[in-house]
Amino acid sequence: MNKKKVGIIFFPAFDWAISPSHPEREERLLYTQDQIKEEGLFDFENILQFKPLIANELQINRAHICVPDVDSQATISHKISAGGALKAAELIMKNKTNSAFALVRPPGHHARRVVHGNRGFCNINIEAIMIEELRKKYNVKKIAVVDTDCHHGDGTQDIYYHDPNVLFISIHQDGRTLYPGSGFTDELGIGKGYGYTLNVPLPPSTSDYGYLYVMENLVLPVLKDFKPDIIINSAGQDNHFTDPITNMNLTAKGYAKLNELLQPHIAVLEGGYSVEGALPYVNTGIILALAGLDYSNVVEPDYNESALRESESIINRIKVTVKELRDKWKMRDEIQHNHINGREIIKTKRTVYYDESGITEYQNENLFICENCNSFYIMESTGDYYKIAAFVLNYDICDKCRSKAEAIYKKLTKKHFDFIYWHDKSTDNYGKI
């Protein structure tokens, strides 16, 4: 392995937890911090530590419509967690390191475009905030997100469901057996983004072998075709065999091998709730893999390879899923054409439950289709406390579609809404009335 310079951004968020006994609390990273120091990782000249930034309102608005505003949904800890991801992006784009790992909390990949509260332990989506920074500040054109958290990355999927320039691949425990109950192979995107979302639902008890099969036979070939400028690993670790809230059998070596194969520019910690049994080992393995160092001695005390290995029937199910998704990827232009099929507007209805906040949201979305651009969409969202409308104009919106959006916006009144949001990515203009 060739040694590479890796930047570590660490933020355990001492002052934020959902509750003192909640799985998502500051102890998640304290054992990891101790393990990294005890193993002497910072003695390696190519493993460097950096402080996080603090995400500001503009950076958060690029990814979210926070209801009623950013400060209502994001504490200072959330802003610093997102700032850890922003620092990782800065290290890569300024060529200070070859890769970067944001070891931060709170996590974010369940936070969707519209945010009424906390769901899946997430308020704001730290990867999406980082992605928008990469696009706006550094003019990065094509980005791939490979989400290896045990739970489907439904928030990241939602934010980029329309976008053909952000490839989203989620490898997760089958949603029929785990929160948030989504992430199936027929969830492929919408509009011109159709075909650029790939979900790999895995059976419970999948081990290193199954995950590596998916990586080698689906993810890497798709990435080779897509040719992203930046690869991001949404590096949740709750698919470890000791995690208390999931049912998978991935090991620290398995995680390390995944990152060795994927070679992400940036990794961002998401879930992972085996505070002592998993996180210190997994994070050590990932750091060593990113740094091009030997990780073969990173072994958990209760590791038993033969006991963890999945059955042949599970492997066969994974192979069927991989083949289905490979075929869909190869036919993405054709299936996107059939999906759009001359439609001018694609209408979508969704119900979103915020499990931590106890809020139910009802969404009605109208996505306008244009031959010349990725156009815009209008979202009507009703939560327990607010009813809002939001206009989201995409980066490449043409003059004709902009005029159409402005005309509809001018006709809309606050009579039926608490707030009306205008989010224009092309001009970096985010406001509300």
Side-chain angles (χ1 to χ4, degrees), residues 1 35 148 206-213 215-216 233 236-237 239-242 249-263 277-290 293-306 308:
M1 299 175 71
Q35 181 87 358
T148 53
T206 299
S207 78
D208 295 357
Y209 183 89
Y211 273 90
L212 293 172
Y213 182 89
M215 184 63 63
E216 292 173 330
N233 179 16
Q237 299 167 19
N239 35 28
H240 191 267
F241 67 90
T242 64
N249 286 336
L250 203 56
T251 71
K253 280 186 181 178
Y255 275 101
K257 184 65 176 178
L258 282 174
N259 277 271
E260 181 186 351
L261 291 171
L262 184 61
Q263 289 293 298
L279 269 71
Y281 301 96
V282 173
N283 287 314
T284 299
I286 290 175
I287 292 169
L288 290 172
L290 292 175
L293 298 169
D294 178 27
Y295 55 79
S296 61
N297 292 319
V298 180
V299 180
E300 303 88 331
D302 47 356
Y303 171 77
N304 183 330
E305 182 177 5
S306 60
L308 295 173

